[in-house]
């Protein structure tokens, strides 16, 4: 049965929104741990790792701190994930699927199309995430609306795409690797006779592939995140672009700092994608059934 143009846009937006909002707290924790190494002075709150960040935030700021930027997340994510799945389905229809290269292409297509909405969403959420962590910042990012106003006032529309290129360097490898791993894992399970149509198996497969792809691409995400929030305090985030950021990070903090926030990144991506992709496939199946029975056009 042919797929209607609105299927990936609507179903992707719905399924993706559920996944993103469930994983929302991990965006905040991951962001804070990734950026904390820019200074050793009192200008920024530092944590002893993922668990310490969660405990400290809960103790000093309360549960609301984990939902900083949630309004922007809820507003932007339907478009982000709808475009994302539109890119996946477009790639599958044009290039096909079933090989590692074709599956990688699907992830690349999803990222390039989805990033039109993802980049501004991410920069606003991450600016909100570090509100309460850094002692001094340009303007106010105490809420999604305040962050939006601050960024428009001080950076204009260009400020929302400050890290557009680093964003691609992070998410094209991640999404390409994720879909390639997921395709290979599903093929392996078919070859050994494991059930592949089970929703639970789909959840487990997706979570595992998201975690692996997330860990591998953590170093690029650390650099991207620091560049993306640099407008909050140019003196604290004292670098000129991604390359300068990478050089200063390694020189000041050592190579291990490139994996700062790796646990938080995996904790964000695994449940997020484990909900998003299986729920999308389930919704698509239900819609196809409804179309076949002439319940939907």
């Amino acid at each position: 049965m042919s797929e209607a143009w609105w299927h990936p846009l609507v179903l992707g937006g719905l399924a993706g929104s559920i996944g993103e909002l469930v994983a929302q707290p991990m965006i905040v924790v991951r962001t804070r741990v990734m950026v904390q190494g820019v200074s050793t002075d009192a200008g920024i709150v530092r944590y002893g790792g993922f668990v310490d960040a969660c405990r400290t935030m809960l103790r000093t700021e309360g549960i609301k701190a984990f939902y900083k930027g949630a309004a922007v997340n809820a507003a932007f994510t339907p478009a982000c994930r709808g475009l994302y799945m539109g890119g996946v389905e477009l790639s599958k229809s044009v290039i096909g699927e079933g090989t590692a290269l074709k599956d990688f292409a699907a992830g690349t297509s999803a990222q390039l199309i989805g990033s039109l909405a993802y980049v501004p969403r991410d920069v606003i959420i991450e600016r909100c995430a570090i509100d309460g962590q850094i002692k001094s910042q340009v303007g106010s990012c105490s809420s999604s609306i305040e962050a939006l106003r601050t960024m428009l006032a001080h950076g204009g529309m260009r400020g929302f795409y400050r890290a557009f290129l680093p964003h691609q360097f992070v998410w094209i490898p991640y999404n390409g690797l994720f879909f390639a791993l997921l395709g290979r894992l599903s093929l392996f399970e078919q070859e050994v006779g494991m059930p592949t149509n089970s929703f639970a198996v789909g959840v487990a497969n997706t979570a595992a592939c998201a975690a692996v792809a997330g860990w591998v691409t953590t170093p690029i995400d650390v650099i991207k995140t620091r560049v993306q929030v640099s407008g909050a305090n140019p003196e604290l985030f004292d670098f000129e672009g991604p390359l300068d950021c990478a050089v200063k990070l390694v020189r000041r903090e050592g190579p291990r700092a490139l994996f700062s926030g790796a646990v938080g990144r995996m904790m964000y991506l695994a449940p997020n994608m484990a909900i998003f992709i299986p729920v999308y496939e389930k919704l698509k199946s239900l819609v196809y059934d409804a179309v076949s029975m002439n319940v939907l056009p």
Side-chain angles (χ1 to χ4, degrees), residues 152-224:
L152 278 174
H154 294 276
M157 287 301 298
R158 291 182 60 185
F160 294 107
Y161 289 90
R162 179 185 300 276
F164 183 81
L165 191 57
H167 195 282
Q168 308 311 319
F169 284 131
V170 174
W171 293 108
I172 286 178
Y174 165 78
N175 285 297
L177 182 59
F178 166 75
F179 279 105
L181 288 172
L182 187 60
R184 296 306 89 199
L185 182 56
S186 297
L187 182 60
F188 170 76
E189 290 171 346
Q190 290 175 13
E191 291 174 347
V192 298
M194 290 180 61
T196 57
N197 294 326
S198 165
F199 184 82
V201 171
V203 169
N205 288 352
T206 308
C209 294
V212 172
W215 184 84
V216 169
T217 54
T218 294
I220 324 170
D221 195 26
V222 173
I223 296 166
K224 181 272 298 178

Side-chain angles (χ1 to χ4, degrees), residues 28-280:
V28 178
V29 178
R30 151 212 167 273
T31 302
R32 291 194 175 196
V33 177
M34 283 185 173
V35 306
Q36 66 177 354
V38 296
S39 177
T40 57
D41 61 24
I44 188 168
V45 176
R46 295 174 61 85
Y47 309 101
F50 173 79
V51 174
D52 183 56
C54 293
R55 289 174 178 168
T56 302
M57 289 172 59
L58 187 60
R59 184 179 68 252
T60 60
E61 301 175 65
I63 193 70
K64 290 176 64 176
F66 293 92
Y67 291 90
K68 289 178 179 288
V72 165
N73 198 359
F76 275 70
T77 294
C80 294
R81 285 308 198 189
L83 290 171
Y84 181 94
M85 289 313 303
V88 170
E89 300 295 355
L90 176 64
S91 178
K92 288 180 179 180
S93 66
V94 174
I95 301 175
E97 59 182 315
T99 68
L101 187 59
K102 289 178 179 179
D103 292 339
F104 193 97
T108 300
S109 175
Q111 166 56 27
L112 290 174
I113 295 175
S115 65
L116 297 173
Y118 259 120
V119 175
R121 188 207 75 150
D122 280 4
V123 74
I124 299 172
I125 291 176
E126 289 173 358
R127 283 289 295 272
C128 289
I130 62 173
D131 181 76
Q133 181 186 21
I134 59 175
K135 303 300 183 182
S136 175
Q137 64 176 310
V138 175
S140 171
C141 292
S142 59
S143 69
S144 297
I145 296 298
E146 287 298 318
L148 184 62
R149 289 173 178 167
T150 294
M151 294 181 65
L152 278 174
H154 294 276
M157 287 301 298
R158 291 182 60 185
F160 294 107
Y161 289 90
R162 179 185 300 276
F164 183 81
L165 191 57
H167 195 282
Q168 308 311 319
F169 284 131
V170 174
W171 293 108
I172 286 178
Y174 165 78
N175 285 297
L177 182 59
F178 166 75
F179 279 105
L181 288 172
L182 187 60
R184 296 306 89 199
L185 182 56
S186 297
L187 182 60
F188 170 76
E189 290 171 346
Q190 290 175 13
E191 291 174 347
V192 298
M194 290 180 61
T196 57
N197 294 326
S198 165
F199 184 82
V201 171
V203 169
N205 288 352
T206 308
C209 294
V212 172
W215 184 84
V216 169
T217 54
T218 294
I220 324 170
D221 195 26
V222 173
I223 296 166
K224 181 272 298 178
T225 300
R226 293 190 181 192
V227 171
Q228 203 152 254
V229 302
S230 61
N233 188 326
E235 292 183 3
L236 193 62
F237 299 95
D238 62 337
F239 37 77
E240 299 176 1
L243 182 59
D244 186 44
C245 176
V247 170
K248 288 181 176 177
L249 183 154
V250 173
R251 187 173 68 238
R252 295 171 178 175
E253 305 167 56
R256 289 183 61 184
L258 289 168
F259 282 90
S260 300
V263 174
R265 177 167 167 77
M266 294 166 69
M267 291 294 290
Y268 160 62
L269 289 168
N272 186 339
M273 298 299 282
I275 293 171
F276 173 35
I277 300 298
V279 169
Y280 171 76

